Amino acid sequence: MPCIVINKETCKGCYLCIEVCPKKSIAIGKELNSKGYHPAMPVENGECSGCESCMIVCPELSIEVYDEE
Amino acid sequence: MPCIVINKETCKGCYLCIEVCPKKSIAIGKELNSKGYHPAMPVENGECSGCESCMIVCPELSIEVYDEE
Amino acid sequence: MLVKTIFAGFGGQGVLLMGVCVATAAMNEDKFVTYMPSYGAEVRGGTANCTVSISTDEISSPIASSPNYVVAMNNPSLLRFQHIIKPGGYIVTNSSLVNVELGRSGVTQIQVPGSDIAEELGAMRSANMVMLGAYAAVSNVVSFQSLIDAVGEVTGKKKKELVEFNIKAIKAGHDNAKEQIKKLESIEA
Amino acid sequence: MLVKTIFAGFGGQGVLLMGVCVATAAMNEDKFVTYMPSYGAEVRGGTANCTVSISTDEISSPIASSPNYVVAMNNPSLLRFQHIIKPGGYIVTNSSLVNVELGRSGVTQIQVPGSDIAEELGAMRSANMVMLGAYAAVSNVVSFQSLIDAVGEVTGKKKKELVEFNIKAIKAGHDNAKEQIKKLESIEA
Amino acid sequence: MKNKEKRLMRGSEAIGEAAVRAGCACYFGYPITPQNELTEYMARRMMDTGRVFLQSESEIAAINMALGAASTGARVMTSSSSPGISLKQEGISFIAAMELPCVIVNIVRGGPGLGNIAPAQSDYFQATRGGGHGDYRTIVLAPASVQELYDLTRKSFELADEYRTPVLVLADGMLGQMMEPVVFNDKEILPEQLPDKPWTVKGAKDRPSRFIRSLLLDVDVEEEQNWRLYRKYQRIERREIRHEEYYMKGAELAIVAYGTAARIAKAAVKRCVEKNMRVGLIRPISLWPFPYEHIYKTAETVKHFMSFEMSTGQMVEDVQLGVKGRAEVLMYGRPGGVVPTPAELFRVISRAYNKIAREK
Amino acid sequence: MKNKEKRLMRGSEAIGEAAVRAGCACYFGYPITPQNELTEYMARRMMDTGRVFLQSESEIAAINMALGAASTGARVMTSSSSPGISLKQEGISFIAAMELPCVIVNIVRGGPGLGNIAPAQSDYFQATRGGGHGDYRTIVLAPASVQELYDLTRKSFELADEYRTPVLVLADGMLGQMMEPVVFNDKEILPEQLPDKPWTVKGAKDRPSRFIRSLLLDVDVEEEQNWRLYRKYQRIERREIRHEEYYMKGAELAIVAYGTAARIAKAAVKRCVEKNMRVGLIRPISLWPFPYEHIYKTAETVKHFMSFEMSTGQMVEDVQLGVKGRAEVLMYGRPGGVVPTPAELFRVISRAYNKIAREK
Amino acid sequence: MKDAATHYCQGCGHSVIHRLTAEVIEELGIADRAVGVPPAGCAVLAYFYFDVDMIEAPHGRACAVATGIKRANPESIVFSYQGDGDLAAIGTAEAVHSANRSENITVIFVNNAVYGMTGGQMAPTTLLGQRTTTSPAAAGREAHREGYPIKVSELLASLEGSTYIERCAVNSVRAIRRTKKAIREAFLTQMNGEGFSMVEILSPCPTNWKMSPVKSWKWIDEVMTPYFPLGVIKDSRKGSKKDAG
Amino acid sequence: MKDAATHYCQGCGHSVIHRLTAEVIEELGIADRAVGVPPAGCAVLAYFYFDVDMIEAPHGRACAVATGIKRANPESIVFSYQGDGDLAAIGTAEAVHSANRSENITVIFVNNAVYGMTGGQMAPTTLLGQRTTTSPAAAGREAHREGYPIKVSELLASLEGSTYIERCAVNSVRAIRRTKKAIREAFLTQMNGEGFSMVEILSPCPTNWKMSPVKSWKWIDEVMTPYFPLGVIKDSRKGSKKDAG
Ligand SMILES: Cc1ncc(C[n+]2csc(CCOP(=O)(O)OP(=O)(O)O)c2C)c(N)n1
Ligand SMILES: Cc1ncc(C[n+]2csc(CCOP(=O)(O)OP(=O)(O)O)c2C)c(N)n1
Ligand code: SF4
Ligand code: SF4
Ligand code: SF4
Ligand code: SF4
Ligand code: SF4
Ligand code: SF4
Ligand SMILES: [Mg+2]
Ligand SMILES: [Mg+2]
């Protein structure tokens, strides 16, 4: 199944990825990163479809989508 | 009959009045004025109709039309 | 006597307001005072800080290259300013959010759980008022009363509940810090 | 030796060309020379003039506040420049067009019917060449030959007929003026 | 000072409030850091008072709107920071030539080019020598505290009207951003209370029409206008020089500094005096006209001067022009937006002072 | 001099031809009297040589087009007259800050404001002190003949490249309009013959990408850049001072004049010398860097200087900075477009000279 | 108009346009409220001819100066008088933004397709193929190098803030009459407080076109008007429309 | 793109637009010919992120600087990257005339309806009713005082010289894809030597709009696009049209 990796340190917590994810596979993380943002995180057991929407909208290039075959 | 008076000194000899006069009542004068132009002059025995065209086009406000009744 | 204090934190934490309140209090005590915010592009990225200088004399520079006090509302503020504090100076940290360790010696750290106290009182956003109280207790550069008056003056005296709430918050911070100082003094003594 | 000449007339009379020709002739005689046209808004209104300074020495200012010679191609030029000519200087007028009287003493007027002569030769527009010849005769600052050469150089040597025509015109003006000067000299003598 | 009269004010707001209380009827500006707070303050205050605030499309438009508004007799202000002030130079030259009153604020930033937004004093030449074309001068006032930002801005409007000339208030981001207590020692004037000016162009009602211009094609007329301006500038030089002295009595080394640098210099000089060094401070408050005479007189006894500037050295030329060879002129500068500390300056002064002492 | 090498040239054309022969690849300009002949000459010549001529929408656009073109390594020129040069000040400050080579011609006219189009020297301050913001300098060359217009324009391109800095050619309408014989003492260079510059931005082919900028938000970095520039300017001050002397041997009164004024001064001085007056002329050719040292040395023996300018007095400050109190500095000025005569200046000098003699 | 001979060349359109503007001001009875802003351009000396208050603007900045005057003193009737170099080149930003803010001013815009005062350089409105001293190619102005002649009226009309814009000419008795009417409409627009008004006038510059005045008139008809069509380009007035058309 | 964290605020459109531009440059294989001109504006530090040659322009002058570069070195692919204050206020004249001359350059025009870098002042594109620090009235920007939001694309499209102009947004996955395509078209226009191309991009400035990034996206849909309609505003290319639409 496809999955995403979010770079916690570069994420600025805009949550646009969360907004666009059709699978509701991303959520706000609990921890603060060193810039003071709560980075977005993939939800556990999310059903990522690998649509790349999150990657496309992320302003910080913080998301990579892996489509493991 | 209407007639026109041209101020020889302010006339700059553009001859636009001659161009527009429907009655061919204006012509180029022979003398030079002090600025070095040959001012326009009403032709002798011209048939001015008092249409004011010459007055309207004159850039130098050099023409007055008299409609003597 | 010239005392310089830097108040630092995230953008939304109200650190500039803290500075203005302290400056106003000092003014009302007829002291010389300057207040200097960080400005311009520096502000981008969501951090903010300001410097308040209070003196019995004309103040030359409103900037602090080595402040006597730093009030750090978050980790980045502690990291950024800890090394420039004057030896013998104080850093007052909002221990609810600041969890990195102080990386230098020669200064005293007073840890006040500002956000937690504020939350207990019922308004998380008032952590700055709590820390203001703590700062007053630690520094003593302005009296508790004139600080309270100043906060009222600055935030507008109309909303009475707010004023009263702020007083409560300031007092809570003040008490918390006083407690710690007492302990410290007893250790040192 | 420093000789300044103003060439003046209406816009279309080619007075600037006269100046350039004289300046070129002087340059080719290895003299110091400057040429200065009137410029900018001054030009509007259809008059033009230029100043040529010729010297055996470096020339300070290319402007003439009191020229030795004035070549006046029309009435306004005479009126404008007559009063600044150096005492003892000359004014060469195109008497075909200049009919106002000279209004000062102490200078010599040479009247050459430049336009008429040019018309006789077949090209009314070459009055400037006629007057150039006259000027050369009166002033002697450049030799007749180098003037002829200069005119060829400036107007372009390609159009042979033109060059030859110009020479004719210059010569005609030169002769006319020489004649008058002789008369004057004989009177003075 | 009584408490209730004091207000803790931001520098830029003190400028704005001084303008409002001086009866400024029109403000034209364009955003640039670090003077945005002034523009924004004017946006609010002018709207509240029903006066004219207009954010123009550029600094050039702003200075020319100011030119137009000034021609109606209204008190007008515009403000910017270094690059924006460079763009206004043509307009300033015109305003000076047309003899219109106008107050221009420059909150100087680090330059040249885009530079940065930190406090700097590197627009001194531009301000005092006229960055624009032609023989003209602008009065330049250099406040060193928020109180002075208020007082001198207020004064600027009066000087502008009195001499019909642009007046420049030269400050920097530090002065503009900082807050200090301010006391209003003056009376507020409303625009409609200002006396009519006899030269305005507001429509030729009940009088012949007139015009205001700077084009003087006839060189003799232009020359006369140049000398007229020159005489006015001489009058200003005679009457409007402002400066402050600090511990200059018996001083052997005179620091010369203005604005923010003067604040720092004061602290450093105080430290020197405490250490029994004979060091004093001359603070020019008007940069043009500059206190040449005073410096010249001082140089009779004080044989060492040090120009201290937040630049690589510009005012130092004026100090040199002042001493006329009578004294040695040193220079200490920190350009690029650096605000030196009193301690640093104290060290620099000490070193110089000791050297001087040794050489004696 | 051989005849065939001499050409009778208009001043503005000599500037243009020098640019073309120096390999200038791009010219950007905007009409303004009295420099239109230069723009028009470039329109024809650049078209003929297949190079870039662009009449921009404004002087501001022109200086910024020049900035862009200079960044590619091309030799570039722009020109204007006083009001237009005022508008270019922001751009000049940027070009200086970004260390780009660029030649800027100012055919000065009478000012301030619209003024007139007659010859003047009232942009001296703007040229030598930087009318723009920040600590920067521009090299300023002041030709006094058409030959020098040619030679110094040519030189400007070399200096601009060598020091990566804007170079200003300062002339006036008289020099621009007049014709004099010119000899080309140099070899023409084609743009493509010029060596590549290692700092250009032409696309990151076969190398890492790079950028050119002047924004240095970090004050320490900006400060270092300011000092870097400062050191460069000091280097220029050591190496690029140009001046001429005329009858200075044994002189008791030194006239200091540049450009058109220097021509007039030469004639007047000659007349003085002929009358056995001990008067000489110092003609600064580079206005910045200014020959301070030389004037200082001269002031060891010459106790009287007179700055002669077609302005109300600007260079006089540099003369004063030069003599450092060692000598008296007089000033004679004719602003507003007046070109004084040698006779007039001779009278002025005589009067001053006699007074000096009497006082001895 | 003051009783002074103008400095304009023979057959210059400025003279006529001055007269028409002065007549309209006279007829509308606003001479004692009018403030004019002449440009740097051939009309720079307009204050010698108009018998109303005037103040000079730096080249291109007349709209900004007019804005300042009108904002400071809304009772005045403010007009700028600008050439095509002045308004459409260096003054582009000021013109666009004054129109966009719908400044309640009137612009008399004299389009003579050339920089007149400085001696005939290319203007933004110079036509393709027209030779000038700065578009000296045999082919004259060419789009690929020098761009297109700018249609200023259309450009400003595309801005929501502009209220009344008309393009006229002064190359016939009828055209001159029409121009006067347009100027009148423009001032009425301002008097009614309806915002930005402009009259663009195609105007002969015989000197720089190197044509006789009579030839210049023809050139306007044959070359200019096909590219710059005459007529009301925009009229979004609410109140006073009746007079136009 | 260089591997550097940007200084932009959370949810800022600049970051996305940078990426899209960089991707297009990469994909078209023009990275070694590209020269970028960032503005004074939030994007002033763009040279830290783009891995191509860049040169800073004074505020508003990017089009003039780009013109100079392109004319001097026609082989380069030159783009300016400008904000709405930069291009539509102080840079109006430079933008209008570059378009009119059909300079063969590409403009990436970021319209965020506000002066971002200087802290949220009114921009020429600020919408009616929008409150900013310099349009502080309760009613926000009002036309009678501050004029209308300028439709830059339409304005420049009205000039004969402009070749390809499209307005896009970056507030949805689709919009972002579309924006990338438009940027590609614009660069292709330049590569084909067809003249002036511009992509206007409606871009969120959550910080100065005082909204969350998500809210900002909605605001673009609900408030901005009704006034600034998306789509190809102009396409007068001869050769390469197939790719567009
Ligand atoms: C800043 C500045 N740049 C240039 C000029 C020179 N200048 C004076 S008038 C003018 C243009 C005139 O053309 P236009 O506006 O078309 O008016 P016209 O003379 O054709 O009526 C120019 C460029 C100036 N005075 N100021
Ligand atoms: C001459 C000049 N004037 C003003 C400024 C200040 N300034 C910097 S960026 C900017 C505007 C930024 O707004 P915009 O162009 O919309 O870009 P954004 O930050 O919104 O992306 C201004 C006014 C400057 N640097 N130079
Ligand atoms: S790739 Fe698509 S489905 Fe997967 S997390 Fe991203 S947006 Fe959601
Ligand atoms: S879009 Fe990117 S920056 Fe925004 S929350 Fe998601 S990962 Fe973080
Ligand atoms: S129209 Fe007027 S100026 Fe022209 S020729 Fe006739 S009278 Fe003379
Ligand atoms: S009034 Fe009419 S008919 Fe009479 S001269 Fe004038 S144009 Fe001719
Ligand atoms: S140059 Fe042209 S516009 Fe100027 S006055 Fe002469 S004809 Fe009229
Ligand atoms: S201020 Fe606005 S435009 Fe600038 S970085 Fe922040 S969100 Fe982006
Ligand atoms: Mg024109
Ligand atoms: Mg923006």
Side-chain angles (χ1 to χ4, degrees), chain F residues 38-87:
Chain F
L38 174 52
T39 306
E40 292 168 357
Y41 187 80
M42 294 309 278
R44 294 190 303 275
R45 283 288 277 141
M46 296 302 261
M47 169 167 301
D48 290 348
T49 51
R51 306 187 196 173
V52 176
F53 167 88
L54 190 57
Q55 179 179 318
S56 58
E57 58 272 28
S58 70
E59 290 87 352
I60 291 182
I63 191 76
N64 284 293
M65 289 172 182
L67 186 159
S71 77
T72 70
R75 285 192 162 176
V76 298
M77 181 163 91
T78 180
S79 66
S80 189
S81 176
S82 310
I85 297 289
S86 291
L87 288 171

Side-chain angles (χ1 to χ4, degrees), chain G residues 65-234:
Chain G
V65 171
T67 296
I69 296 170
K70 186 73 180 189
R71 294 257 176 165
N73 187 28
E75 298 84 54
S76 54
I77 299 295
V78 184
F79 68 101
S80 76
Y81 184 109
Q82 304 181 252
D84 42 9
D86 192 78
L87 184 140
I90 190 171
T92 305
E94 287 77 6
V96 164
H97 287 271
S98 297
N100 186 61
R101 284 190 308 265
S102 207
E103 293 294 341
N104 195 24
I105 58 173
T106 299
V107 176
I108 308 295
F109 169 47
V110 180
N111 177 357
N112 59 10
V114 87
Y115 284 71
M117 158 155 267
T118 45
Q121 295 82 5
M122 187 184 74
T125 53
T126 291
L127 291 153
L128 293 181
Q130 190 181 341
R131 269 185 87 178
T132 69
T133 56
T134 51
S135 56
R141 179 180 192 162
E142 287 181 297
H144 71 89
R145 195 175 44 235
E146 287 118 1
Y148 294 85
I150 293 191
K151 295 177 181 168
V152 176
S153 288
E154 284 80 353
L155 188 74
L156 298 188
S158 79
L159 295 164
E160 212 149 331
S162 56
T163 303
Y164 185 83
I165 297 181
E166 180 165 352
R167 188 184 284 115
C168 305
V170 285
N171 64 334
S172 74
V173 175
R174 259 187 71 192
I176 290 173
R177 286 216 172 96
R178 174 78 228 180
T179 300
K180 182 166 171 185
K181 200 157 174 218
I183 294 174
R184 190 185 158 84
E185 288 308 315
F187 275 103
L188 281 171
T189 305
Q190 181 179 170
M191 290 165 72
N192 292 331
E194 302 206 71
F196 186 85
S197 54
M198 179 175 91
V199 184
E200 172 174 350
I201 303 157
L202 307 184
S203 172
C205 174
T207 300
N208 287 304
W209 296 357
K210 303 191 192 317
M211 292 174 197
S212 73
V214 171
K215 183 82 216 302
S216 302
W217 273 23
K218 300 225 167 80
W219 197 77
I220 290 179
D221 270 342
E222 289 161 12
V223 181
M224 283 188 92
T225 51
Y227 189 86
F228 296 115
L230 304 185
V232 177
I233 309 291
K234 183 172 186 186

